[in-house]
Amino acid sequence: MEWYVLISAAVGLMLLLFATGLPIFLSFLTLNLLGLYALTGNFKGVLLVVNSMYDTGTSLSLAAIPLFILLGEILFRSSAVNVMFNAVDAVVGAVKSRLYIVSVILSTIFGALSGSAMAVAAMMGASLLPEMEKRGYQKNMSLGTILGGSSLAPIIPPSVMAVVLGILAGVSISGLLVAGILPGLLLALVFFVYIVIRVKLNPKLAPAVIESSSLSAQERIRLLLRAVPFLAIIATILVLIISGVATPTEAAAMGCVVAMITCSLFASLRWPTLVQALRSTAWTTGMIMIIMVCSVSFSQILNMSGVTTNLVNAVTSLEWHPVLMFIMLMALGFVLCMFIDQIAVMILLVPLYKPIIAALGFDPLWFWAIFLVNVSIGNVTPPFGYTLFALQGAAKGTTIQELYRASVPVILLYLLVIVVLALVPDIILWLPSLM
């Protein structure tokens, strides 16, 4: 059977299994077993799948995943969120479009703290959005700022998605985590500039500043200082990774210990809250780990079938310009993220992309960092962006059509930043080069 028939059948079957509602891990396990049977004519090679699952499940690199999740759970379930909200609100002060700016800054910080775009969107939709509507901020713009800010969670470290992608792509997890810092901050800056320009062109989007803030300078400083210990946790993790003092796993473990101490002293972390955080961490980690172990042999079966080698030969024989190839590779990921989960997209595409980007001579860290930004758009891309549904569930009275409209400017801004990152690789590569 020709290689292109095999890969088309594999991808088609995978999408069909996803469409049936079968869990992702069972979809990959089914595909792997069927692929093994198609290649060998029996299931005697099932030990290959079992060994791959064991090797993946016992990999030390995966230990960073539950630790980063636990870190986010501890910070998110304590009153650290309220402390950060008060600090940002005090710093921004009484300016026009104030809550738009607060929304972007808070979403960026909470994304770094939790690593979950859906959690940030749900929290902001339940807490900040009603206040924005009450004060006369335009709803579409309000939804857009929350979607834009929350979608930074997979990009800005500590990021579970970056760890998963680093393991799948075989690139430095430390490098990929650090590579997301400047692109994430650039996206936040772009959202901020977008808000300022839109409100400047159309003042009706935000209410007029009626009165200056009643907070004194001393009160602002006090609120800001209260947030320092929580920001220091994230900063410490990044410094440990960038300096090479600790691996991502070690830095995450240190971050969890420091977070528990800090939130016990300066927030409201108590034993019941910690138990809830551990339970949620175990549940989320279990889902991610079982997907990883059931999908890892997918790349091995591709190699056994000869699909990988033939695919690389076919791509290189086209002699298309690398820019066109880059656009095609990113476009495929973008389209798939409209319909299926980000982790599923990464597991499906990374084994196919790895040999292609090597043949094209792309810098792996640069390419995968942009790929991470690209699939992050899937969080807010219609029709099935998970963050859209999370925000709709939290924002009472908000229709999915309103969220679809609000997501359009966010998607366009993301695509603009991807172009900038592609043209200026140093934005991604500079910080990792210091490691």
Side-chain angles (χ1 to χ4, degrees):
M1 187 180 295
E2 294 294 337
W3 67 271
Y4 50 82
V5 176
L6 285 174
I7 189 61
S8 298
V11 174
L13 178 60
M14 177 61 64
L15 296 177
L16 179 62
L17 290 172
F18 288 161
T20 63
L22 195 68
I24 295 174
F25 77 93
L26 285 180
S27 298
F28 276 106
L29 187 59
T30 301
L31 182 65
N32 290 335
L33 292 175
L34 290 177
L36 192 63
Y37 185 82
L39 292 174
T40 63
N42 55 60
F43 290 111
K44 293 181 180 179
V46 74
L47 284 178
L48 173 68
V49 176
V50 174
N51 288 333
S52 296
M53 294 172 69
Y54 177 79
D55 291 340
T56 301
T58 55
S59 172
L60 184 60
S61 299
L62 286 176
I65 293 176
L67 291 171
F68 278 138
I69 294 173
L70 178 59
L71 174 63
E73 287 287 340
I74 291 171
L75 293 170
F76 227 60
R77 290 180 181 274
S78 64
S79 60
V81 171
N82 296 329
V83 173
M84 295 305 305
F85 181 91
N86 293 332
V88 172
D89 193 37
V91 170
V92 173
V95 296
K96 192 172 179 65
S97 68
R98 166 172 161 266
L99 289 187
Y100 289 144
I101 298 171
V102 169
S103 173
V104 172
I105 297 176
L106 281 178
S107 297
T108 304
I109 295 174
F110 291 160
L113 293 177
S114 71
S116 170
M118 288 189 291
V120 175
M123 195 245 355
M124 298 289 284
S127 59
L128 187 60
L129 183 62
E131 185 66 20
M132 297 177 79
E133 291 187 78
K134 179 181 176 182
R135 298 191 185 186
Y137 287 82
Q138 203 249 2
K139 187 174 183 179
N140 186 270
M141 187 83 165
S142 300
L143 292 171
T145 57
I146 293 174
L147 289 173
S150 61
S151 59
L152 298 176
I155 303 169
I156 298 178
S159 165
V160 173
M161 296 292 287
V163 175
V164 172
L165 181 57
I167 293 171
L168 292 173
V171 297
S172 167
I173 296 174
S174 300
L176 197 56
L177 284 167
V178 173
I181 297 175
L182 292 183
L185 294 178
L186 176 60
L187 278 162
L189 178 62
V190 168
F191 293 144
F192 174 77
V193 172
Y194 167 75
I195 291 168
V196 173
I197 293 175
R198 282 288 307 275
V199 174
K200 189 73 174 178
L201 295 175
N202 185 4
K204 294 181 180 179
L205 292 175
V209 180
I210 300 175
E211 58 182 15
S212 61
S213 174
S214 59
L215 293 177
S216 64
Q218 290 82 359
E219 183 67 11
R220 291 175 189 273
I221 294 173
R222 187 187 69 82
L223 291 172
L224 186 59
L225 289 176
R226 284 195 64 192
V228 169
F230 305 103
L231 293 176
I233 296 172
I234 306 301
T236 300
I237 292 174
L238 296 179
V239 169
L240 289 174
I241 294 175
I242 294 174
S243 63
V245 173
T247 65
T249 302
E250 294 166 344
M254 178 67 72
C256 288
V257 174
V258 174
M260 284 189 286
I261 296 173
T262 302
C263 291
S264 297
L265 296 175
F266 301 103
S268 60
L269 180 65
R270 298 295 180 266
W271 179 249
T273 307
L274 181 59
V275 170
Q276 291 177 356
L278 290 170
R279 285 177 177 171
S280 180
T281 298
W283 176 259
T284 306
T285 302
M287 288 192 296
I288 294 176
M289 292 286 281
I290 198 170
I291 291 172
M292 293 285 290
V293 299
C294 288
S295 64
V296 70
S297 54
F298 178 59
S299 60
Q300 294 177 330
I301 292 176
L302 288 178
N303 290 330
M304 288 173 55
S305 65
V307 166
T308 302
T309 302
N310 286 298
L311 179 62
V312 172
N313 292 336
V315 170
T316 53
S317 66
L318 293 175
E319 297 183 351
W320 288 352
H321 195 282
V323 173
L324 181 58
M325 290 303 304
F326 174 83
I327 294 173
M328 290 183 62
L329 294 174
M330 290 297 166
L332 179 57
F334 178 82
V335 172
L336 286 178
C337 276
M338 293 181 180
F339 303 98
I340 59 179
D341 180 77
Q342 292 167 302
I343 293 182
V345 170
M346 290 195 296
I347 292 172
L348 185 63
L349 293 184
V350 170
L352 298 174
Y353 280 12
K354 279 175 65 178
I356 293 176
I357 67 170
L360 293 173
F362 293 154
D363 183 293
L365 191 58
W366 167 80
F367 179 87
W368 293 119
I370 296 180
F371 184 79
L372 181 60
V373 176
N374 185 36
V375 297
S376 295
I377 312 176
N379 273 324
V380 296
T381 304
F384 300 121
Y386 290 128
T387 305
L388 297 175
F389 298 120
L391 182 54
Q392 184 191 22
K396 305 302 180 184
T398 300
T399 65
I400 194 64
Q401 289 78 13
E402 288 177 311
L403 287 165
Y404 285 170
R405 289 192 294 270
S407 69
V408 173
V410 177
I411 296 170
L412 294 177
L413 292 174
Y414 256 96
L415 295 177
L416 173 63
V417 171
I418 287 177
V419 172
V420 173
L421 295 176
L423 296 176
V424 190
D426 283 345
I427 297 176
I428 294 172
L429 300 176
W430 179 66
L431 280 180
S433 69
L434 301 179
M435 299 172 60

